[in-house]
Amino acid sequence: MRIGVRLGVDVGSVRIGVARCDPGGILASPLETVKAGKGDVDRLVRLVEENEAIEVIVGLPTSLSGREGPAATSARRFATMLAERLSPEIVRLYDERLTTVTAESGLRAGGVHGQARRKVVDQAAAAVLLQAALDGERLTGRPPGEGVRGAGE
């Protein structure tokens, strides 16, 4: 397992959930919710710098059958924009099937309801995504998901 903080990013059309892990890559925790739109990439670049992250895992939403739809196209576009601003080798896409469902379920079970849940569900989904990526790397010994290159590469 590589040493260093990683960020998990759950891209939505309204909000972007961000999570981070400890330097040992053991545990993912919710970090922040970023408003999607103008300035979102700038904020994520700052979060990478502030947390000295060695990698950014962007969730790739696919259907249960593995097909990619409009949300996956959006996530790929967002990951490419990030890769253009950061070192491209640190941005990776990782399958995020059911992360929001898992996060919603966990929050509901923990007694978080209504408006309070809506405020943190994106961060929780990013934490579920990042934890899955960390566990996958620990299991295989390889970086998770697929690398992303900037548009000009």
Side-chain angles (χ1 to χ4, degrees):
M1 186 78 177
R2 297 167 298 145
I3 299 298
V5 172
R6 285 116 169 139
L7 297 184
V9 178
D10 182 53
V11 181
S13 59
V14 177
R15 292 176 303 275
I16 300 166
V18 184
R20 74 173 298 245
C21 73
D22 59 284
I26 304 297
L27 184 64
S29 304
L31 179 63
E32 182 174 318
T33 300
V34 175
K35 185 175 187 249
K38 186 177 179 178
D40 54 5
V41 173
D42 293 335
R43 180 62 188 143
L44 282 163
V45 168
R46 282 195 307 278
L47 286 170
V48 168
E49 292 166 352
E50 289 168 9
N51 288 277
E52 299 177 356
I54 65 163
E55 194 166 66
V56 179
I57 308 296
V58 177
L60 181 64
T62 54
S63 69
L64 291 177
S65 68
R67 289 197 177 106
E68 292 185 16
T73 300
S74 248
R76 284 187 181 281
R77 189 175 319 118
F78 191 85
T80 299
M81 288 190 303
L82 264 179
E84 288 171 350
R85 296 280 307 277
L86 301 166
S87 301
E89 63 275 2
I90 74 167
V91 180
R92 303 189 68 79
L93 284 162
Y94 191 79
D95 186 347
E96 69 160 44
R97 276 179 261 196
L98 302 177
T99 55
T100 302
V101 172
T102 303
E104 284 268 3
S105 176
L107 289 169
R108 203 171 14 261
V112 182
H113 299 287
Q115 189 76 358
R117 189 170 68 229
R118 277 191 290 284
K119 287 182 180 178
V120 296
V121 70
D122 301 292
Q123 294 175 38
V128 170
L129 159 75
L130 182 56
Q131 191 65 56
L134 294 170
D135 293 346
E137 179 173 341
R138 204 171 357 276
L139 191 64
T140 65
R142 292 189 310 270
E146 64 180 84
V148 176
R149 296 248 176 246
E153 296 179 36

